[in-house]
Amino acid sequence: MFLLFKTMQECTDFIFTLKAVDYKRAPLVLMREVLALLNNPQDRLRAIHLAGSNGKGSTVNALREMLQHAGYKVGAFTSPHLERVNERMTINGIQISDEQFLHYMNNIAEIIETHYDGDFPSFFEVVTLIMFQHFADQEVDIALIETGLGGRLDATNVITPLMSIITTISLEHTAFLGDTLAKVAFEKAGIIKENIPVVVGVKNAEALTVIEEVANERHAPCLVLGKNFTVENIEQGTTIQHFNYRKENVEMVAVPLKMAGQHQINNASLAITAILTLRENGAIDISDESIRQALAKAQWAGRFEQLPGNIILDGAHNSEGTTALIQTLKTVYPRQNYRFIYAALSDKDHAKSIALMDSIATSIAFTQIELPNAMPADQLAALSTNTNKMYNAQWRDIVQTMLHQRNKNEDVIVITGSLYFIAEIRQWLQGEQR
């Protein structure tokens, strides 16, 4: 047995150095070649493939809960991870073990050393190759697979799924995906396959037109939120919300949803539509009751996650996410003061997100995380017009200051921005609370 990596630390230290920008091969060529040498594990999977700017993780979570409730063995491939890379690939919520991860990584390393002179692909391609092997070997019933970036050229786009889902479109990663919503939509629509249904939550007309054109060219039935299925009668409670769902001859009344916010209802409706379509096609057997019970308990770390002491963690990493966050805050905490703490990476449109927060923030504090592409705190602060703003590159100092100064009855501390930031804060806060 070829053994390049003996410990998880050694393995993760190595794979985190593999940058897509250093990588000059044509997209997907190496993925397909290496998968062929691994006996094409991706072809043994029944998959649902998801792309979109926001909402992929929450939609995956809703799908996973529903399918698990109905007795299926469900693989889920999500990104980014909050604490450990193993989180990216789970089966019925259980992370891949270190031993399994190392085993599959060494399979890949042997192929790369033997056939490609040790010239490794990017981090995301490596973890995607590990995921395909793991899910195939464990014989999952359904694999829920999120794209990493875009869709058309994404490392995951080597599968023919049962169903594709495109959640939302916003301007992000413009250097890779294009500088208009139409261009971003074209990249995301790359996951649409010939004759395979696609469920779409995109609202922007320009982006939706592109997606519908691609679906039409590929003879893919296209189910669009607001056209082919609808949500209405939304009631947001403090711990759960309810909504009515309708699709053709199916109506579900007062569907319970644990996750807060209108955007989470939209994500849940995409998941319901995917499940009902697969049921109609005979691909799965699931009851309406399974759907309802699963959504009543589905939750997703770092997405409007409510911690004790009126602290909200939300990985709103672009302006669309920030808009959804603000709508949810106004619904769940209509009378409180909002005190934001924000840190982000440098590849996003921060001005728009910061302007949105400025419009409702009692105060806003900017900080940064220890990543090479982190946006400096002072540069973020310069974009804010809030009269009560501060910045400090040391995020622990900022958080401690804000927690110390707040009024526990009147203030909500909203920690938002990059999911990498949310991950670090989450770990730290849980340690502090212990």
Side-chain angles (χ1 to χ4, degrees), residues 11-20 22 123:
C11 179
T12 52
D13 284 352
F14 173 74
I15 61 174
F16 289 149
T17 68
L18 300 172
K19 300 279 191 294
D22 301 332
F123 165 81

Side-chain angles (χ1 to χ4, degrees), residues 38-42 44-45 73 91 96 100 103-104 107 129-141:
L38 292 166
N39 297 319
N40 288 314
Q42 79 283 5
R44 306 208 297 276
L45 300 176
K73 184 176 185 179
I91 296 176
I96 185 172
Q100 289 166 320
H103 169 70
Y104 295 126
N107 287 349
L129 289 164
I130 290 170
M131 173 272 295
F132 282 139
Q133 295 175 83
H134 181 48
F135 288 175
D137 283 355
Q138 295 299 314
E139 298 182 346
V140 299
D141 296 318

Side-chain angles (χ1 to χ4, degrees), residues 383-400:
L383 297 170
S384 171
T385 57
N386 198 293
T387 51
N388 191 5
K389 66 179 176 181
M390 61 188 284
Y391 67 88
N392 185 331
Q394 304 302 316
W395 62 260
R396 288 173 188 80
D397 295 347
I398 279 269
V399 177
Q400 280 172 327

